[in-house]
Amino acid sequence: DNRSGRILAYVGGNDYDYSQYDQVDIPRQVGSVFKPLVYLAGLQKGLSPCDFYSNERRTYSRYEGWTPRNANGRYSGSYSMWGALANSVNTVSAEVMMATGINRVVNQAQRAGIQSEMPKVPSLVLGTAELTLREMVGAFASIANGGGAVTPYSIIRIEDENGKKIYTTPYTNVTRSEAAEPFQQVRKMMRAVVTEGSASRINAYTIPFNIIGKTGTTQNNTDGWFIASSPE
């Protein structure tokens, strides 16, 4: 539930008898599902979804010769922030990261509820941080609800054998804590991911909600991500 953080369903793996490996709480590199937090931080700084950046391949000598690559191997033309997020263009996303500032991005992620340590390097935009699915779902909920950080929880209350409540969750519906416009902008950009971008294949399914989302793939396809959310 984007408004409160209440977990409505939890599937940690395929078969508990086969493996007790809980995919929800095990840190994994998150890939490009981290990008919306970078773009949100950029929008909050004053960047525009219509700002254009060259798609050229660059080497950042200040960061040990880091050279981000695009999955499709193409480096011509230019993309707007909108188009770069929709199509998950790494070269442009790296430039958005530079224009935004690493510390600003880390601070935004922390405000969205991410508590794990994040490397303060530009490759963070490509998801080099090892975070949990629980953290990322909470962060996407924050984007969906307009900036209120939520803590995913599953226990609502605990009663003793006589029905007396001995625990009640302290979590309630959150309220927006940040300016609304950047969140509206990034939600529209994440909607484009689903309607025309890297997640457009989901339209083959009939989903009765407007959804926003982001795909993510780590090196050598070790991890494949897709997180979707509904502002409703």
Side-chain angles (χ1 to χ4, degrees):
D1 187 332
N2 292 326
R3 297 161 298 178
S4 67
R6 180 185 175 189
I7 297 172
L8 306 179
Y10 187 122
V11 181
N14 292 331
D15 187 335
Y16 189 79
D17 289 335
Y18 175 72
S19 172
Q20 292 80 49
Y21 192 83
D22 188 347
Q23 300 283 358
V24 173
D25 279 327
I26 296 296
R28 305 295 293 252
Q29 284 196 336
V30 293
S32 291
V33 290
F34 191 85
K35 285 178 181 174
L37 294 169
V38 177
Y39 281 67
L40 173 60
L43 294 169
Q44 289 176 323
K45 186 180 180 181
L47 303 184
S48 167
C50 296
D51 287 344
F52 273 80
Y53 296 86
S54 171
N55 183 35
E56 65 179 298
R57 189 173 179 182
R58 302 175 182 84
T59 297
Y60 297 91
S61 57
R62 286 181 55 195
Y63 297 97
E64 300 180 352
W66 179 56
T67 306
R69 295 176 294 178
N70 292 330
N72 60 11
R74 299 173 184 171
Y75 301 98
S76 60
S78 60
Y79 283 86
S80 65
M81 281 183 64
W82 180 293
L85 184 62
N87 295 285
S88 206
V89 182
N90 290 341
T91 52
V92 174
S93 297
E95 283 296 285
V96 172
M97 180 70 159
M98 295 300 186
T100 302
I102 298 170
N103 287 335
R104 184 183 290 269
V105 169
V106 170
N107 290 338
Q108 174 57 53
Q110 290 171 338
R111 291 200 302 274
I114 292 178
Q115 298 178 344
S116 296
E117 184 176 353
M118 291 168 278
K120 292 186 177 181
V121 292
S123 60
L124 179 63
V125 67
L126 305 185
T128 53
E130 294 189 358
L131 309 175
T132 68
L133 178 60
R134 184 190 296 267
E135 287 179 300
M136 289 307 304
V137 167
F140 271 57
S142 175
I143 292 174
N145 70 33
V150 301
T151 301
Y153 70 93
S154 56
I155 298 176
I156 300 172
R157 68 179 180 274
I158 300 174
E159 300 176 354
D160 66 14
E161 59 186 359
N162 298 315
K164 180 182 178 181
K165 292 181 183 178
I166 57 177
Y167 171 85
T168 302
T169 177
Y171 303 115
T172 58
N173 286 2
V174 299
T175 56
R176 290 176 178 170
S177 58
E178 304 188 55
E181 185 175 4
F183 285 89
Q184 294 171 350
Q185 291 174 326
V186 80
R187 284 198 299 268
K188 289 179 181 179
M189 294 163 69
M190 293 170 70
R191 177 64 178 158
V193 172
V194 174
T195 58
E196 60 192 65
S198 59
S200 59
R201 282 181 293 177
I202 200 173
N203 293 308
Y205 302 91
T206 303
I207 300 176
F209 303 101
N210 288 321
I211 62 171
I212 61 176
K214 186 67 189 78
T215 55
T217 306
T218 60
Q219 290 189 0
N220 300 320
N221 295 319
T222 302
D223 295 287
W225 291 76
F226 175 61
I227 301 179
S229 182
S230 171
E232 291 80 26

